[in-house]
Amino acid sequence: DELREAITAGEFVVYYQPIVALADAHVVGHEALVRWAHPTRELLSPGDFLDVAEDTGLITAIGAQVLDQVCVMLAERPALAGPISVNISAVQLSAPGWLTSVRDTLAARRVDPVRIVIEVTEAAVLSLVDSARVALATLRELGVGIHVDDFGTGYSSISVLRDLPVTGVKLDLRFVQDLTAGDSQANALAQGVSGLVEGMHLNGVAEGIETKMQADLLRAQGWECGQGYYFGRPVATPMTHH
Ligand code: C2E
Ligand code: MG
Ligand code: MG
């Protein structure tokens, strides 16, 4: 009930976390991360309300507000570097009107589709209905990027790259946080995925980078882009200059 009221009251806000080139840390884009500016509690993160939002289907309405806010921001700030990555859950993808809603929002806000990247998790992709696959393919044809989020944590990592018009891969932060200074299984995994990304000419983004060691190691492995507290936390207003 509270979520329903929050949608009507417009309590969902979008935070933006920079995605940087690991070569020189310049900002190449941002990820949009939803927050709930709850009237009586602290700012709530997706972990606090996303499950309920998905189970009730309210994520569809929240997601529409998120995309609209992202498009308004992009329209207001044409100088902002790179695209904005927007997370979309399986429930949203499978909702009948989703594709139309995305297209209408982009058109209404006059946002070039190349300025939007859609992040879908492997888990979401696994459960996709045919209409959702068509929706993703249609958006890709319009120029929207498609990134597989939390790559490596699902059961279908490689087949996702074959079956969907994927333009990029985000290495899950759990892999990044396991990286070590010496040789380790985590390092070998990150290195292997980097080779896959390079061989398939995909965009590679390593997420959850918190230390210089992790940034240096991933860059040396061939990861082109990174994201994490080491480079910048999610903030209400993205930086135009770095
Ligand atoms: P995600 O898409 O994998 O996003 C990355 C999460 O890692 C974010 O958590 C971000 O704040 C956090 N993070 C970034 N850098 C670091 C770091 O250096 N260390 C650590 N430990 N964490 C870091 P957040 O914002 O709580 O979002 C959690 C998840 O909620 C997201 O994971 C995404 O799956 C989902 N989500 C976020 N916004 C939306 C949305 O608008 N719609 C939908 N459907 N899902 C969303
Ligand atoms: Mg994401
Ligand atoms: Mg992720």
Side-chain angles (χ1 to χ4, degrees):
D1 290 343
E2 263 194 280
L3 276 180
R4 216 167 265 122
E5 286 164 22
I7 292 167
T8 314
E11 287 167 11
F12 294 98
V13 293
V14 182
Y15 271 48
Y16 298 91
Q17 185 177 30
I19 298 173
V20 306
L22 287 176
D24 58 3
H26 79 270
V27 176
V28 296
H30 289 84
E31 178 173 13
L33 296 160
V34 70
R35 299 288 181 263
W36 180 1
H38 193 282
T40 58
R41 297 166 66 184
E42 82 282 18
L43 192 68
L44 299 177
S45 283
D48 299 320
F49 58 85
L50 213 59
D51 284 348
V52 180
E54 289 183 352
D55 291 347
T56 52
L58 293 172
I59 187 62
T60 303
I62 297 170
Q65 292 189 352
V66 166
L67 183 65
D68 193 57
Q69 287 186 38
V70 166
C71 288
V72 167
M73 194 277 298
L74 277 171
E76 280 171 355
R77 308 184 61 179
L80 192 74
I84 304 287
S85 298
V86 181
N87 295 284
I88 307 291
S89 66
V91 181
Q92 295 172 264
L93 278 174
S94 306
W98 182 71
L99 173 63
T100 308
S101 151
V102 171
R103 275 201 292 214
D104 289 353
T105 304
L106 293 177
R109 300 299 186 187
R110 298 175 193 281
V111 167
D112 186 342
V114 303
R115 304 222 62 198
I116 299 290
V117 169
I118 287 190
E119 291 191 6
V120 280
T121 63
E122 275 175 64
V125 172
L126 210 59
S127 63
L128 282 191
V129 295
D130 283 345
S131 65
R133 291 173 186 279
V134 172
L136 285 176
T138 306
L139 289 176
R140 178 67 205 117
E141 275 165 31
L142 292 174
V144 172
I146 314 277
H147 287 190
V148 182
D149 206 349
D150 304 342
F151 189 81
T153 58
Y155 300 96
S156 59
S157 307
I158 292 182
S159 51
V160 163
L161 303 182
R162 184 195 58 197
D163 296 343
L164 285 180
V166 169
T167 57
V169 157
K170 298 191 78 172
L171 182 68
D172 190 70
L173 55 84
R174 279 160 281 189
F175 295 117
V176 171
Q177 273 151 24
D178 285 347
L179 294 172
T180 56
D183 285 346
S184 68
Q185 192 189 40
N187 295 26
L189 280 169
Q191 179 70 73
V193 178
S194 166
L196 189 63
V197 165
E198 202 183 324
M200 293 191 70
H201 308 291
L202 298 170
N203 295 307
V205 183
E207 38 178 19
I209 299 176
E210 293 181 354
T211 68
K212 184 174 187 310
M213 184 276 277
Q214 291 165 346
D216 289 345
L217 191 65
L218 290 159
R219 184 181 55 239
Q221 288 188 343
W223 285 94
E224 231 165 296
C225 300
Q227 180 182 352
Y229 300 158
Y230 179 66
F231 297 109
R233 292 190 173 252
V235 290
T237 310
M239 280 181 299
T240 304
H241 301 288
H242 192 62

